[in-house]
Amino acid sequence: MLIRTYSTMWMIGGFAFLVYMGHLYIWAMVVVIQIFMAMELFNLLRKSSEEKQLPGFRLLNWHFFFTAMLFTYGRFLSRELVNTVSSDHLLFKLVSGLIKYQMIICYSLYITGFVWFILTLKKKAYKYQFKQYAWTHMILLTVFAQSSFTVANIFEGMFWFLLPASLIVINDIAAYLFGFFLGRTPLIKLSPKKTWEGFIGASVTTIISAFLLANVMGRFQWFTCPRKDLSTGWLSCDPGPMFKPEHYYLGDWVPLWFPWKEVFLLPVQWHALALGLFASIIAPFGGFFASGFKRAFKIKDFGDSIPGHGGITDRMDCQMVMAVFAYIYHQSFISPHNFSVDAILDQIIRNLTYEEQKSLYQQLEEIFQQRQLMQN
């Protein structure tokens, strides 16, 4: 428990520093986590006796990994990248061209890897090679399909990354403490150490924490403002109605001795309850899935990179499930569904050449001048 506590404090301290540094640094942290997760999962089915006969086969796995990374982040961060280089005409044209042809570039890289795999097939190693090929694609789906939502959450506003991630940490710590001191009743056979006492205690703690943390985080523009480029400068924006305090008069709802007769709450706090509920009841099943997975491979942990915790994958199982839910919830209930200026600009930058964008600008200018004349 002491080793686990010590490493937890280091992780929380490092994470807080990255949050202070900004969105770009947190994205870098996610990339590092992805690399460690892939490394741990690649090693699960690795057989050194087989790979001695297949020089360069491990390099093929990483070729597919970085191709998937280029495709995923090229789709999610194209607008931010273009906004970062918009002041430099030459660089803007280069980046715009790369984004426009990003899909064919990624497909060409993937086909190169596919042909590479076919050409390296060796007799007596077919089964191992095809198993590794399928395993690699499953890892890419697991790691990128889920963690890409984490990056999207970061740039939508750090609040939508930080709150869900914090709730998973709180739930994990609370479940461990309640289970350690009060646990008596086993919860699920896949994880014999998990108890009902730990599960219920952690659920109550997480839901309350979600409501309170949302009020604290929602008051800082550093957390609530979306990042529209890849810079690290300070943010300032109109946070929107979700992050503007609303007055609630308690009146007859509370006893006479209660000191607060009125409170100011942020509308986002009610949405935070949904995140807290998911983090406490559904997200732990990501951990149960990982437990069953480890039992299938007869291993205790995915790795040993974090003292007292195991590998990076052991700590990210619930986070991945939570990140996807947070993104879908934000897009379904928080993000406006009508066309926004940012969304239209994103499509213009992604699909039109520099000359076409200039032509569009000139046509818009003519339309505005005609309207102005008609009004006069």
Side-chain angles (χ1 to χ4, degrees), residues 119-130:
L119 293 175
T120 57
L121 286 172
K122 286 195 174 183
K123 198 174 181 181
K124 296 183 180 179
Y126 291 156
K127 188 175 181 180
Y128 176 76
Q129 286 179 283
F130 277 104

Side-chain angles (χ1 to χ4, degrees), residues 16-26 154 156-160 162 217-227 231-237:
F17 175 73
L18 290 173
V19 169
Y20 171 76
M21 293 300 292
H23 303 67
L24 192 62
Y25 291 88
I26 299 176
I154 293 168
E156 286 287 352
M158 209 185 294
F159 178 94
W160 300 106
L162 190 57
M217 293 181 185
R219 296 178 186 274
F220 295 93
Q221 290 192 5
W222 185 241
F223 296 148
T224 59
C225 291
R227 170 69 73 182
S231 66
T232 56
W234 195 250
L235 287 170
S236 179
C237 68

Side-chain angles (χ1 to χ4, degrees), residues 18 79 103-104 111 134-135 188 237 263 318-319 328 333 376:
L18 290 173
R79 184 186 67 185
M103 191 171 287
I104 189 64
I111 286 298
W135 181 241
I188 189 168
C237 68
V263 292
C318 299
Q319 291 284 7
I328 292 172
F333 300 108
N376 291 336

Side-chain angles (χ1 to χ4, degrees), residues 281-313:
I281 296 176
I282 305 299
F285 280 85
F288 301 151
F289 176 86
S291 296
F293 198 82
K294 287 184 283 188
R295 282 178 174 274
F297 284 89
K298 296 181 173 60
I299 56 173
K300 185 177 182 294
D301 296 309
F302 285 103
D304 56 1
S305 49
I306 309 174
H309 291 266
I312 295 289
T313 312

Side-chain angles (χ1 to χ4, degrees), residues 34 61-75 102 106 109-110 136-137 139-141 143-145 148:
Q34 286 177 331
N61 290 341
W62 288 107
H63 171 83
F64 283 124
F65 176 86
F66 286 108
T67 299
M69 181 179 286
L70 180 64
F71 176 78
T72 303
Y73 292 137
R75 302 298 292 173
Q102 181 238 3
C106 292
L109 287 170
Y110 178 82
T136 299
H137 283 69
I139 290 169
L140 297 180
L141 183 64
V143 173
F144 282 104
S148 56

Side-chain angles (χ1 to χ4, degrees), residues 26 30 41 54 88 112 118 144-145 154 162 240 282 290 296 307 329 345:
I26 299 176
V30 172
L41 293 171
L54 304 167
D88 188 312
T112 302
I118 298 298
F144 282 104
I154 293 168
L162 190 57
I282 305 299
Y329 188 91
L345 279 174

